Amino acid sequence: MRINVTAPEGRARAAALVPTEATLVALTTAFRTLRKAAPRQPFATRRPEFPRPAGLPRPAQDSACPVVLVSGYLSPLGCWDALLPRLHENGFRNTTCFAYDSLRADIPEIAEALAAQVSAVTRAGTPGVHLIGYSMGGLVARYAVQRLGLTGDPISVTTIATPHRGSPLACAGVGPAAQQMRVNSEFLRGLPAMYSSGRVRWSLIGSPTDRMVPLASATDGRHADSLSLAGGGHLGILDSPQMAGAVLSHLELCEFEQALVATCA
């Protein structure tokens, strides 16, 4: 069915097809309810060499480096409920969940607020920061590092199911941030290549069963520091034990490398 958007009645019918904010929130709540009720799918890594390197010592004490978790588009802070206990159990207790309005603000605005919050949680002498972003949150973290100059030593960015090359479903989203996540958007074209980001330690995690963010987008075209997890899709990937293990391995390796550099200095 074609709609003539130049006619008054056509514009009214086209406007009726655009989901309201309340409808999107209701759909998101329903999807999350179904996810919790459905049986969990098994997960498996496709790069068995990526997880924690053999012989890497466990940290003797809690990490002093803060971890800031950035949720995704319309994602509640509760999306981190599965990962937070794993972080705390493994010595990453200085954790902060970053909240923002994904419907009204665009990604650069959100990234500016993130950079300000990171400055607030880092104390004098606190080494670096670990940023973990889910879905759109990964783009927020990436922009903060690449465009706003957020630095640290170490500084790591872990993105989970993030549309580095856009999402084919972003056209159904509401707000400026959703438009920026569209495939081949001006915002995405303007981001620097990850290889140009100096000493930033990247980790890109995606899933081939993710219909919202294709694997090629989540891994930025099979970036060298990327990992593919089987199963779970876009909503379930945060519940994956293998995903949590990969995140922990990345953080521990970053801090091990930093400690090694400090020892040799």
Side-chain angles (χ1 to χ4, degrees):
M1 179 182 66
R2 294 184 177 180
I3 299 176
N4 182 6
V5 296
T6 60
E9 65 271 19
R11 289 196 296 270
R13 292 176 65 184
L17 295 175
V18 178
T20 64
E21 176 181 336
T23 301
L24 287 172
V25 172
L27 286 172
T28 302
T29 303
F31 276 130
R32 293 191 176 282
T33 302
L34 289 172
R35 183 190 72 177
K36 292 180 179 179
R40 301 293 173 85
Q41 300 182 36
F43 288 80
T45 59
R46 291 196 173 187
R47 281 185 57 192
E49 73 279 9
F50 184 88
R52 193 171 188 277
L56 182 64
R58 291 285 182 184
Q61 57 186 4
D62 288 352
S63 170
C65 191
V67 179
V68 180
L69 300 106
V70 189
S71 54
Y73 182 79
L74 294 181
S75 299
L77 297 182
C79 69
W80 301 111
D81 286 351
L83 180 60
L84 274 171
R86 295 288 302 276
L87 290 171
H88 293 175
E89 290 166 3
N90 287 269
F92 296 95
R93 297 180 178 274
N94 185 6
T95 55
T96 302
C97 294
F98 174 70
Y100 61 89
D101 187 343
S102 59
L103 292 174
R104 293 178 175 84
D106 64 14
I107 293 176
E109 290 176 304
I110 300 168
E112 288 180 3
L114 172 63
Q117 181 157 330
V118 168
S119 299
V121 300
T122 54
R123 305 183 305 274
T126 299
V129 65
H130 298 300
L131 301 176
I132 303 176
Y134 166 61
S135 193
M136 190 181 89
L139 290 177
V140 172
R142 180 179 174 185
Y143 190 93
V145 170
Q146 293 188 311
R147 285 301 192 195
L148 302 182
L150 188 62
T151 60
D153 200 5
I155 182 166
S156 73
V157 180
T158 302
T159 69
I160 305 166
T162 290
H164 292 288
R165 298 191 174 186
S167 167
L169 300 182
C171 57
V174 174
Q179 297 178 13
Q180 291 169 336
M181 290 188 291
R182 294 180 179 181
V183 176
N184 201 35
S185 70
E186 182 180 355
F187 170 80
L188 293 176
R189 293 197 308 270
L191 287 176
M194 291 186 182
Y195 294 106
S196 65
S197 301
R199 298 181 61 184
V200 179
R201 284 81 159 179
W202 296 98
S203 176
L204 283 57
I205 301 174
S207 170
T209 61
D210 189 338
R211 298 295 177 261
M212 188 170 293
V213 179
L215 183 62
S217 181
T219 60
D220 195 33
R222 298 185 179 181
H223 188 275
D225 298 315
S226 64
L227 174 68
S228 171
L229 300 178
H234 191 73
L235 293 177
I237 193 170
L238 287 177
D239 293 330
S240 163
Q242 279 70 34
M243 186 280 298
V247 170
L248 287 167
S249 297
H250 180 65
L251 300 188
E252 291 174 357
L253 184 58
C254 288
E255 300 216 343
F256 176 75
E257 290 175 348
Q258 178 65 16
L260 189 62
V261 169
T263 302
C264 297

